[in-house]
Amino acid sequence: MTALSARIASGVVAIAAKDWNACAGEGNPFVGHDFLAALETSGSVGGRSGWQALPIVIDDDDGTPAAIAPAYAKSHSQGEYVFDRAWADAWERAGGRYYPKLQLCAPFSPVPGPRLLLRDPTLAPALIAAVEAVTDQSGLSSAHATFIAPDEVAAFEAAGWLIRQGTQFHWRNAGYASFDDFLAALASRKRKAIRKERAAAVEGLTIRHLSGAEITPAHWDAFWVFYQDTGSRKWGQPYLTRGFFDTIGATMGDRILLILAERDGVPIAGALNLIGEDTLYGRYWGATEEVPFLHFELCYYQAIDAAIARGLQTVEAGAQGEHKLARGYAPVATYSAHYIPDAGFRRAIADFLEREREAVAADRDYLGELTPFRRGGASPSD
């Protein structure tokens, strides 16, 4: 390969799907071309959203992308789930301008995965350097790679980026043959509580798992109502447009699992999941009826059922949520990487992160002791 140079594409849609996916791989749907392009074509990013897609690309000698960073210019910090508003406030009080900044991520998706999409793995340092160059040459305050894959941490650290830790709660499949097999690994009191929750949640309801062509426009209409309700309560306004769901249904339907709860044939609640190579990713949920424990049933227990049936190793049910502990989801570390060009600002952020990292690790250790699994391997008595 000749001397490397990088370019900024005008969007994910400006790169051929086969070229993008040759770099991204097939394991994580959130960095695949179908998902990211749907955000653009549906208007969920771009326009006045505060998200401008600017993928940073290194081509090989014949002009084919060999490395891509899914980068976005951001004019705010919404939809990221790694909170830096205090950093923005501090920098602006000091007379700086924090926005726009550069974000490497899957928008609106607190899902760990690759942020250095590499057909040629040796290009990781060059791609990070290209991101830094774009940040510096554009006069941006910073660049942030959020929810990076754990195996990317070393590459960012080697480049001098600051590493931040967080915590999510993931379910791991220990070779379970059924949900009851999973329950057998829990303490008796926890098993009883989950069975009681599940029975109460589904009383009078029908639960349906839909994928691919089984998902009709009417199902998306119903889910859109659920999503809008949840979005308006959590974020003020939903991030995604109605067209986004139609688009992913058409382009990646076989990687979608829509779980609906119906009363007398009418959907009253739903949870949307994406299917990865070895992981089920829970993303959005909503309901038009308040049914006790239905959120836990659709988002956590039905997801476990689906993962076991599909032979998947992990369920990732989104950001935060210590209530997931009692449902068999254990705390795991998540990572982000941050490039701060200004030396003084970098020192302040580094000091903050060192203190925060100790607190986050201690909290994660404490939470790890609260999982519902049996101690000592005793056989269940019920």
Side-chain angles (χ1 to χ4, degrees):
M1 182 176 286
T2 58
L4 295 176
S5 62
R7 62 183 172 91
I8 301 175
S10 58
V12 176
V13 295
I15 301 172
K18 65 179 180 61
D19 292 337
W20 182 283
N21 292 334
C23 295
E26 298 294 334
N28 188 306
F30 293 90
V31 293
H33 192 275
D34 285 343
F35 183 84
L36 297 177
L39 292 173
E40 293 179 33
T41 59
S42 67
S44 300
V45 302
R48 297 183 178 180
S49 68
W51 293 80
Q52 182 182 0
L54 298 171
I56 299 169
V57 183
I58 297 176
D59 295 319
D60 64 15
D61 292 340
D62 67 3
T64 303
I68 305 172
Y72 295 82
K74 290 292 306 297
S75 62
H76 53 67
S77 290
Q78 297 170 13
E80 296 170 6
Y81 303 93
V82 175
F83 303 109
D84 64 350
R85 293 184 181 88
W87 302 2
D89 290 344
W91 186 232
E92 291 177 2
R93 284 198 304 271
R97 188 176 66 149
Y98 194 72
Y99 305 108
K101 61 177 183 174
L102 198 65
Q103 198 82 17
L104 275 60
C105 67
F108 320 122
S109 304
V111 176
R115 301 298 179 253
L116 305 173
L117 311 183
L118 303 170
R119 183 165 57 83
D120 179 350
T122 67
L123 290 178
L127 187 57
I128 293 173
V131 173
E132 294 174 356
V134 169
T135 304
D136 295 342
Q137 294 169 15
S138 302
L140 304 178
S141 70
S142 51
H144 310 265
T146 45
F147 296 100
I148 63 176
D151 62 6
E152 292 181 326
V153 171
F156 281 104
E157 280 188 318
W161 289 44
L162 302 176
I163 303 300
R164 189 177 193 183
Q165 287 194 22
T167 299
Q168 287 187 351
F169 299 87
H170 299 172
W171 179 85
R172 304 294 190 191
N173 188 348
Y176 303 120
S178 66
F179 194 91
D180 282 341
D181 198 14
F182 156 64
L183 286 181
L186 307 186
S188 175
R189 181 171 58 88
K190 297 298 185 180
R191 288 197 300 275
K192 292 175 181 177
I194 288 175
R195 285 173 177 149
K196 185 176 180 180
E197 281 187 359
R198 297 202 74 179
V202 302
E203 185 175 1
L205 300 178
T206 299
I207 308 299
R208 300 181 63 192
H209 288 211
L210 303 172
S211 189
E214 297 172 326
I215 307 174
T216 69
H219 293 132
W220 285 127
D221 286 341
F223 187 77
W224 173 244
V225 174
F226 306 148
Y227 171 73
Q228 280 189 301
D229 178 67
T230 300
S232 63
R233 286 185 284 109
K234 284 191 174 183
W235 315 304
Q237 65 180 31
Y239 294 136
L240 302 173
T241 66
R242 173 65 180 84
F244 171 79
F245 296 100
D246 285 329
T247 301
I248 63 169
T251 61
M252 53 186 299
D254 61 342
R255 306 197 75 177
I256 293 172
L257 175 62
L258 181 61
I259 303 176
L260 296 177
E262 296 179 347
R263 188 184 302 281
D264 300 324
V266 178
I268 66 160
L272 178 63
N273 305 265
L274 295 189
I275 304 166
E277 184 176 40
D278 61 5
T279 300
L280 185 69
Y281 301 94
R283 282 307 303 120
Y284 304 107
W285 128 276
T288 53
E289 283 189 29
E290 292 288 337
V291 178
F293 308 120
L294 187 57
H295 173 253
F296 301 149
E297 175 65 24
L298 292 194
C299 296
Y300 307 147
Y301 303 140
Q302 289 290 329
I304 291 173
D305 275 332
I308 293 172
R310 293 172 179 267
L312 301 175
Q313 295 304 303
T314 306
V315 177
E316 296 186 14
Q320 304 170 335
E322 293 183 11
H323 55 277
K324 297 169 187 169
L325 274 171
R327 280 93 199 167
Y329 290 70
V332 300
T334 59
Y335 304 92
S336 58
H338 306 270
Y339 173 64
I340 312 293
D342 181 271
F345 190 33
R346 175 191 164 82
R347 284 193 298 271
I349 297 298
D351 289 344
F352 166 79
L353 290 180
E354 184 174 0
R355 296 191 301 271
E356 182 190 55
R357 187 160 44 246
E358 293 175 357
V360 168
D363 186 57
R364 190 165 52 246
D365 289 342
Y366 167 73
L367 292 172
E369 297 298 316
L370 303 180
T371 61
F373 293 92
R374 289 184 291 119
R375 303 294 190 263
S379 298
S381 59
D382 60 327

